[in-house]
Structure formats: C-alpha cells, structure tokens
C-alpha cells in the first residue's frame, strides 16, 4: 500500500486527520538491520500506523561511495530489502523510504577530506540521484555539515543558497526521469546550521519559501527544528525545551509543514507523551533501536554459556568477543562518548588495544555501537551460529530479538498516538 499514497499526498491528509481526531506525531526509524525492518513492519501491520524509514549516507549509499554500514546496502538494496520484508510479513500498509541528512560532506570521508564546496555538492547530488532512481519518497536536504566552518555557524544565506540549488537539481532530475512527486525535508538540528533559535527558524522558512516560489519549486513537507535533544552514550543528555518545541510546532503548522525532531532516542515517557500536545510533527529515532538489538544478542550469548554449563548444548559462539572487538575497531563509538572519555576519543589518544584492555569501557562501547558492525563477516557469522544453535535447542532466539525491538518501538507508537493512523489516512478524502 505504500505507493498508493505518496508522501506529498499523505501530509495534507495527515493535517485533516489531526483536525478531526487530534494531533499525532510521526515516527522516523533508522534502518539498523534486517531484524529491525521485520520488527517494524510487523508492528506497523498489527497497530496500523505508517512508517518512515530514515537512512543517512553513512548507513546506505551508492556503490561508488562504498555503500553503507547497514548490511552493505546501496539504495536499491535498501528498497528491495524493505519490499521483500513487507511481502514476508504480509504488510500492506504505508511506509516511506527517506534520506536522512543527505547532501554535501554527509559521508564521513568527504568531511574528513575537507572537500571544496563544488566537489562536495556534486557528490551530494550524485547520491540524491541514486536515491531518486531507487524510489526514495523523501529527501533531507542538509548542506550544513561544512568542514570549512568547524566551530562556527554556516551563514543562513549560504544554507539557503545550497538548499535551493539542491532541490532545483533534484526536481530537474526527477522531471527528466518522469517520476512521481518527491517529498523534501530541510534544515538541521546541528548548531552549525544556525537554526537553533525560533527567530532564525522563522526567518529561514520565510526566505526559503520566497526563493522556492521564485523558481517554481515545491515547498518542503518537513523542516528540522531544535527541541533540545542530544544523544550521547545510551542517553538523551540534552535539555528538552517544551517552549521551543511548541513555538516551532506553531510556526511550521502556519506554513503547512511538519516540525521534524532529530535525536529523539532515549527520551523518558513523560516527554514522549508530550510530543503530540506540543505539536511536534515527527521525531527520528535510530541508535536506540540498534542498542536494543545489541543487548538482545548479548543476552542470548549469556544464555548460550549457561546452556553449555548445564549440558544442554556442546559448544558456544564467540559473539561477545567478536562483537566487542569489531565495535571498538570500527571507531564509530567515538562520536557518542562524553566527559574525559570523549576528549580521549576525539583526540584518538586511546588506541584500539588500549580500549580493549579496559573491560568496562569495552562493554560500554559494545553497548552503544555494536549495531554498526552486525554485518561485518566475522560478526555476522558468529551471530548466525549462535542463533541457529539456540533455535536447534528450542530457544526462539530470532523471535526474541525481533520482539525486543518491537516492544520499544511500540512504546513510541503509543505515546505518539499512532495506532490506527494508516486507516484514517486512507479513508480521508
């Protein structure tokens, strides 16, 4: 059913549903693994809500960029995997494939190389074109990860110019290919995007709409605003601003757009429950679900050891060891650290072997970034070995992992008033 109602049609219907039945907050879900895809699609089928699958360029990208760390997927693989999983679980609801933080310098290597603007913009467009060819529904236009302005705010006029240029070229490509309308998301939660204040946020919208109208380009459906969220370790360490969320929600509603919140992971229930009341149109959650999956695997690894101790099975996998080493060596954990460890991490004072010699630090790193390495060959092989062995011993291991993921997503679905939304959207004329 996902292609029966494209995202440019869905958002206006969403506004009508809200006017009748009250506010709901959409949920964007990071595609950390095939297990997460299955759990999400099963849950959306059971609870009748639309899904937004959000993928960064580091997670999913074209072959020429080295693909992504999630299952080594490029855009076509990603879309095919979702479609195949939807068929597997008999899902006939609404789902949308969304590019999260697309554009120049959004791959780690492009930013580290400090590519000049023209080269970075060209590569960002090449990635967007692959998104469009694969059938993505929504493109996040984010040209603010500029390595030439580290520690400084990218001037709004530059952000506007780049944003309009990218939308214009994506629209030209879409029209040339004779493809259906695309949805767009603009803005960023990064402080170097210069849109953290409500005044700047409103000014950005006004100027952007004028520039898009002058060129006959479509308005975006979503705009990212800073509500105070900030994810580090396995916590949201930001100070949530109810006032900012409410003001930004009103501004976006006045412009027929959705306020998109990023870094919505690990928020307590009282804040989640406030989202519809505050008018937060959509919230993205990604690493939290990956952490849930990692913890489920580690719990199964501990169970496997107990089963060998009592003689139920003859051997055990090396999941904990290989997952920990791969997580440390991948280095992606460094961005999530806080305090003194963060300082050492960024400066790379700690070598991989020094980290691995610290048992507590290694456990912490495995917890927060194990999901980045699920698909490395050695980890994937050990996970399969463990899951197969446990299931042969009548432990529903894969179902345990999937249901752990579903349980946490379900809490967001409840807090955001999402149950039954798909049927309401499809019924709205």
């Amino acid at each position: 059913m996902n292609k029966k109602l494209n995202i440019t049609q869905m958002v206006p219907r969403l506004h009508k549903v809200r006017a009748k039945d009250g506010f709901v907050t959409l949920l964007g879900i990071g595609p950390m693994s095939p297990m997460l895809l299955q759990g999400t699609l099963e849950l959306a089928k059971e609870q009748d809500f639309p899904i937004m699958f959000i993928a960064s360029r580091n997670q999913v990208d074209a072959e020429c960029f080295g693909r992504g760390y999630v299952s080594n997927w490029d855009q076509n693989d990603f879309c095919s995997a979702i479609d195949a999983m939807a068929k597997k679980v008999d899902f006939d609801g609404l789902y949308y494939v969304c590019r999260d933080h697309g554009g120049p310098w959004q791959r780690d290597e492009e930013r580290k190389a400090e590519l000049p603007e023209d080269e970075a913009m060209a590569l960002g467009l090449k990635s967007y074109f692959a998104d469009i060819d694969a059938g993505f529904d929504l493109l996040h236009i984010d040209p603010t990860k500029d390595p030439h302005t580290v520690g400084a705010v990218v001037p709004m006029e530059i952000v506007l110019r780049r944003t309009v240029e990218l939308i214009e070229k994506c629209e030209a490509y879409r029209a040339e290919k004779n493809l259906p309308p695309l949805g767009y998301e603009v803005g960023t939660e990064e402080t170097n995007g210069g849109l953290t204040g409500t005044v700047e946020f409103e000014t950005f919208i006004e100027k952007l709409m004028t520039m898009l109208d002058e060129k006959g380009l479509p308005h975006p459906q979503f705009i990212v605003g800073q509500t105070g969220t900030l994810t580090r370790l396995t916590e949201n360490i930001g100070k949530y601003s109810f006032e900012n969320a409410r003001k930004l929600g009103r501004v976006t509603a006045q412009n027929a757009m959705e306020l998109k919140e990023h870094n919505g992971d690990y928020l307590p229930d009282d804040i989640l429950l406030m989202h519809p009341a505050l008018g937060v149109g959509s919230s993205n959650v990604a690493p939290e679900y990956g952490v849930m999956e990692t913890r489920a695997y580690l719990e199964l690894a501990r169970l496997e050891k107990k089963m060998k101790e009592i003689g139920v099975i003859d051997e055990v996998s090396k999941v904990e060891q290989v997952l920990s080493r791969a997580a440390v060596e991948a280095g992606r954990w460094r961005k999530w650290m806080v305090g003194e460890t963060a300082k050492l991490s960024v400066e790379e004072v700690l070598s991989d072997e020094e980290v691995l010699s610290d048992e507590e630090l290694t456990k912490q790193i495995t917890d927060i970034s194990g999901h980045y390495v699920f698909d490395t060959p050695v980890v994937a092989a050990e996970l399969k070995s463990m899951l197969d062995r446990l299931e042969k011993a009548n432990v529903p291991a894969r179902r345990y992992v999937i249901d752990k993921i579903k349980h946490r997503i379900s809490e967001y679905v409840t807090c955001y008033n999402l149950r039954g939304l798909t049927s309401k959207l499809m019924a709205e004329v």
Side-chain angles (χ1 to χ4, degrees), residues 31-35 59 68-73 293 297 323 326 370-381 383:
M32 295 301 179
S33 70
M35 290 281 211
Q59 291 174 324
Y69 70 76
V70 177
S71 296
N72 198 36
W73 282 333
E293 185 170 349
Y297 289 136
L323 185 60
H371 58 272
Y372 289 114
V373 295
F374 288 160
D375 293 293
T376 57
V378 65
V379 174
L383 287 174

Side-chain angles (χ1 to χ4, degrees), residues 1-126:
M1 188 189 292
N2 68 301
K3 299 305 179 187
K4 292 181 181 177
L5 190 64
N6 70 45
I7 206 159
T8 64
Q9 297 167 325
M10 184 272 285
V11 171
R13 291 198 187 193
L14 178 63
H15 297 162
K16 292 181 180 180
V17 169
R18 285 176 177 155
K20 288 181 180 179
D21 301 318
F23 204 92
V24 300
T25 299
L26 298 175
L27 179 61
I29 296 175
M32 295 301 179
S33 70
M35 290 281 211
L36 179 56
L37 292 186
Q38 181 170 344
T40 303
L41 288 162
E42 285 183 3
L43 188 67
K45 177 184 176 182
E46 294 159 8
Q47 299 193 11
D48 190 31
F49 66 91
I51 312 166
M52 298 175 70
F53 287 115
I54 55 166
S56 71
R57 289 188 59 200
N58 286 322
Q59 291 174 324
V60 174
D61 210 349
E63 175 75 38
C64 61
F65 296 112
R67 297 174 169 264
Y69 70 76
V70 177
S71 296
N72 198 36
W73 282 333
D74 66 8
Q75 288 92 330
N76 289 313
D77 296 332
F78 181 38
C79 291
S80 295
I82 298 172
D83 184 61
M85 192 63 74
K87 288 182 172 65
K88 176 181 176 180
V89 304
D90 196 27
F91 176 82
D92 192 33
L94 295 172
Y95 72 75
Y96 299 100
V97 183
C98 311
R99 168 59 70 202
D100 185 38
H101 290 294
W105 302 294
Q106 290 293 347
R107 280 193 74 99
D108 291 343
E109 56 269 27
E110 293 174 12
R111 193 161 58 258
K112 288 176 182 175
E114 298 185 3
L115 297 179
E117 179 178 338
D118 58 347
E119 186 177 348
M121 287 283 280
L123 292 176
L125 275 169
K126 191 171 185 178

Side-chain angles (χ1 to χ4, degrees), residues 123-271:
L123 292 176
L125 275 169
K126 191 171 185 178
S127 177
Y128 281 135
F129 294 165
D131 295 343
I132 295 169
D133 287 338
F136 275 45
D137 301 286
L138 179 74
L139 303 182
H140 180 192
I141 309 295
D142 182 6
T144 66
K145 207 106 178 183
D146 191 332
H148 306 291
T149 58
V150 175
V153 172
V154 180
M156 186 183 294
E157 297 306 318
I158 292 179
V159 177
L160 285 164
R161 172 180 58 79
R162 292 172 178 168
T163 299
V164 172
E165 178 183 338
L166 291 167
I167 291 176
E168 183 175 25
K169 290 182 177 179
C170 286
E171 278 297 289
Y173 186 82
R174 180 195 64 78
E176 178 187 338
K177 295 283 186 173
N178 195 30
L179 295 170
L182 278 169
Y184 290 99
E185 175 180 334
V186 297
T188 181
E189 84 281 6
E190 302 286 350
T191 55
N192 67 346
L195 301 176
T196 54
T198 55
V199 174
E200 294 86 353
F201 185 82
E202 192 162 8
T203 301
F204 178 81
I205 292 177
E206 291 173 356
K207 289 187 174 183
L208 178 63
M209 296 307 179
T210 298
M211 293 172 71
L212 292 172
D213 288 343
E214 287 174 352
K215 291 180 174 287
L217 296 170
H219 289 185
Q221 285 71 37
F222 299 85
I223 179 166
V224 183
Q226 178 55 268
T227 60
T229 55
L230 178 62
T231 304
R232 290 292 182 270
L233 297 177
T234 55
E235 299 178 70
N236 207 302
I237 65 171
K239 181 175 174 56
Y240 202 89
S241 174
F242 298 104
E243 181 182 6
N244 217 45
R246 195 172 186 184
K247 285 180 179 178
L248 298 181
R250 286 173 176 169
V251 171
T252 52
Q254 289 166 2
N255 288 275
M257 289 193 297
E258 297 292 305
L259 170 62
K260 173 70 84 72
E261 171 188 272
H262 285 204
N263 298 319
D265 311 71
Y266 309 115
L267 291 172
D269 285 354
D270 61 333
I271 294 180

